[in-house]
Amino acid sequence: FDLFYGMFKFNDRAKEHLNQMRDNLAKVERQLAAKEAYMAASNEMKNADRQRLIAETKLLLQEIAKSGDIAGIPSKEKGDNGSGKDLP
């Protein structure tokens, strides 16, 4: 500490250098905060897109389940075993 105090006391531009260092540190802090906010927003958007796709997929699967039509094949009617012969 004594060395720094001596440099501060006998250097006419010491206050200017300290102020510049404070400004630069504040600038780095602002950049880090902005980057952190950007990353958080980016992750939130990815999550929102993922949730939207999951909801859309669920809806489509529910529609398919209700209609019973999978890959264009209509659901079997009661008594239809797929052999072309009706069961009692």
Side-chain angles (χ1 to χ4, degrees):
F1 178 79
D2 291 338
L3 254 166
F4 286 108
Y5 178 74
M7 288 181 355
F8 176 77
K9 183 176 181 180
F10 296 109
N11 185 348
D12 296 337
R13 297 181 62 201
K15 285 186 180 183
E16 182 183 328
H17 288 295
L18 284 174
N19 287 335
Q20 185 64 41
M21 286 174 48
R22 280 190 196 107
D23 291 344
N24 289 340
L25 187 57
K27 180 181 177 182
V28 168
E29 188 177 5
R30 286 190 305 270
Q31 289 174 332
L32 289 171
K35 181 71 170 185
E36 183 180 17
Y38 169 79
M39 296 299 289
S42 178
N43 285 336
E44 187 64 32
M45 287 183 66
K46 287 178 187 175
N47 269 347
D49 287 344
R50 188 174 297 127
Q51 292 301 323
R52 183 185 53 78
L53 288 172
I54 289 171
E56 187 177 333
T57 302
K58 283 181 182 178
L59 182 64
L60 291 171
L61 289 172
Q62 288 172 351
E63 289 176 8
I64 290 171
K66 283 180 185 176
S67 71
D69 185 12
I70 298 174
I73 303 170
S75 64
K76 294 181 181 180
E77 295 295 324
K78 187 175 182 179
D80 184 6
N81 65 2
S83 66
K85 297 179 184 175
D86 286 337
L87 296 176

